[in-house]
Amino acid sequence: MEDKSRTFQQAVYAVVRRIPEGRVATYGQVAALAGRPGAARQVGYALAAAPRELGLPWQRVINAHGEVSRRADPGDEEYQRLLLQAEGVVFDERGRVALSRYRWQV
DNA sequence: TTTATGGCTGTCA
DNA sequence: ATGACAGCCATAA
């Protein structure tokens, strides 16, 4: 895979892989870092199609509200929360995390 | 090339 | 705070 010809999807993967454990990033943030500001939806779309075999920390990507986005399978939604909590990320009663505190800063 | 589809995001009522 | 709406944009048909 070459630098120029790499797909947006691959760029997203590269960014997500850099998110430290115990930290989270928003879709919009990932899109911007991937070089495509405004392509937040595509980030979610790309992650939804991402094979787990890649060991991608997709659970660290959440929406701008600081909550886990609604998924087709509610089970994955819960799984994502579990993974994050296992990393030390705390959710409040509303099921949201304090972005001001856990947001990944480059 | 045009359409349809979304793990989104701001803005406004 | 919540819900509706309209932009945004890469992929697959």
Side-chain angles (χ1 to χ4, degrees):
Chain A
M1 14 173 128
E2 311 80 286
D3 300 13
K4 283 309 216 171
S5 60
R6 76 176 168 186
T7 63
F8 169 73
Q9 183 177 67
Q10 293 176 317
V12 168
Y13 292 169
V15 171
V16 173
R17 253 188 282 269
R18 301 196 339 243
I19 305 176
E21 186 179 312
R23 287 305 192 83
V24 297
T26 67
Y27 294 98
Q29 184 180 2
V30 172
L33 291 175
R36 262 342 188 244
R41 275 184 102 154
Q42 276 48 245
V43 172
Y45 194 48
L47 292 182
R52 308 190 169 192
E53 291 73 56
L54 291 179
L56 210 61
W58 56 273
Q59 71 273 20
R60 295 176 190 151
V61 184
I62 59 182
N63 66 30
H65 292 344
E67 49 192 12
V68 173
S69 294
R70 288 294 217 82
R71 308 220 30 321
D73 182 351
D76 288 341
E77 216 171 300
E78 188 181 316
Y79 178 50
Q80 179 170 11
R81 277 201 304 279
L82 290 175
L83 289 174
L84 288 177
Q85 293 179 330
E87 296 183 356
V89 176
V90 178
F91 288 78
D92 64 11
E93 299 273 326
R94 295 292 231 51
R96 300 189 308 186
V97 310
L99 281 179
S100 57
R101 178 176 173 181
Y102 296 105
R103 186 172 194 198
W104 174 42
Q105 334 227 346
V106 278

